[in-house]
Amino acid sequence: MVDRTEPSHDSRIERAVAFIENNLDRPMDVDQLAAVAAMSRHHFQRCFKRHVGASVSHYVQGKRFKRACYQLAFHRDKPITDVAFDAQYATPEAFSKAFTKSFSVSPRQFRLKPNFSFWSEKETNSYQREQTMDVDIVNFEATELAVLEHQGPLSRVNETLQKFVAWRKNFGPSPSVSRTFNIYYDDPELVATKSYRMDVGAELLSTLKPNDTGIVRKTIPNLMCAKLRHHGSWNSLGASMRQLYANWLPGSQYSAGPFPMFVHRVNLFPNVLESELVTDIYLPVVKKTVG
């Protein structure tokens, strides 16, 4: 007889993935991760590859390199030596050699000219945990934003983000006092790549001064919204947004409102671990009329 109280392979692998994401700056090996998953070493490696789509070592290295890329691009005052140690390399030279082998550019070259387009391909098989559909109806108060508009491939959004972050560090309100938002005009799965549009923005707390970065003033109006809190990687944010729109909305007493979906990024990567990211998704709605 099967013991149905035994944890499934899915839950065991999820446990190991969570451990990896929460301990990227610490040494770890397959035996330790297999123990976390309560599996034998060989069974764990087979199950991990089948569920996650990558070997244990490649998944761990990929997560460390992703954080390193964001540190290089957005924390420019952080020495490359520290980035290397965070990624669990004994020397900057070993880190540089491994980084260059993976991305064909050195960490220093990447910092000078970041290119994140490879992540869209590398993370195709990235493990994603299922999100719960705990939806609240809230009133979102009108908010003024300073935004940088993006049009083009989703894989190049980080280039827009880098320009916005540079402006924000020099002229704009700090994320510690100003909320960070994205407005999504399109679903990247439903529009031509070159036509995809979104805004990267921050809550505007004072007058927006003229600038040559392309930052403009926009307003999210007072809205009734369906709010869904997304936990974890931004890679699966689109799936949560589609779940809210395609699964929850049709069975609700609401219709989509006149303003695009938008998100409030409660915290930011790499300031926190990917597993600790919190993003509030807002779907503007209006109550359905009867009759």
Side-chain angles (χ1 to χ4, degrees), residues 120 150-157 186-198:
S120 60
H150 173 87
Q151 180 169 338
L154 181 61
S155 61
R156 302 191 67 174
V157 165
D186 301 302
D187 184 331
E189 293 190 358
L190 301 177
V191 300
T193 299
K194 64 181 181 180
S195 301
Y196 176 70
R197 296 177 304 134
M198 66 170 287

Side-chain angles (χ1 to χ4, degrees), residues 58-77:
H58 285 165
Y59 186 81
V60 172
Q61 184 189 56
K63 285 295 180 180
R64 285 173 172 161
F65 273 162
K66 182 177 182 179
R67 184 176 64 171
C69 286
Y70 277 75
Q71 289 174 332
L72 291 168
F74 299 112
H75 291 181
R76 290 176 171 267
D77 56 343

Side-chain angles (χ1 to χ4, degrees), residues 182-186 197 220-221 223 225 257-263 282-284:
N182 295 146
I183 302 174
Y184 295 92
Y185 300 96
D186 301 302
R197 296 177 304 134
I220 300 178
L223 296 164
C225 294
F259 194 82
M261 292 182 76
F262 60 97
V263 303
Y282 290 90
L283 170 62

Side-chain angles (χ1 to χ4, degrees), residues 13 44-56 59:
I13 297 302
F44 169 69
Q45 290 184 100
R46 288 195 297 270
C47 287
F48 191 94
K49 179 69 178 289
R50 185 170 67 248
H51 283 73
V52 177
S55 69
V56 177
Y59 186 81

Side-chain angles (χ1 to χ4, degrees), residues 91-108:
T91 66
E93 292 76 20
F95 170 69
S96 181
K97 182 177 179 180
F99 190 97
T100 304
K101 182 178 179 180
S102 289
F103 306 123
S104 300
V105 295
S106 70
R108 193 172 304 279

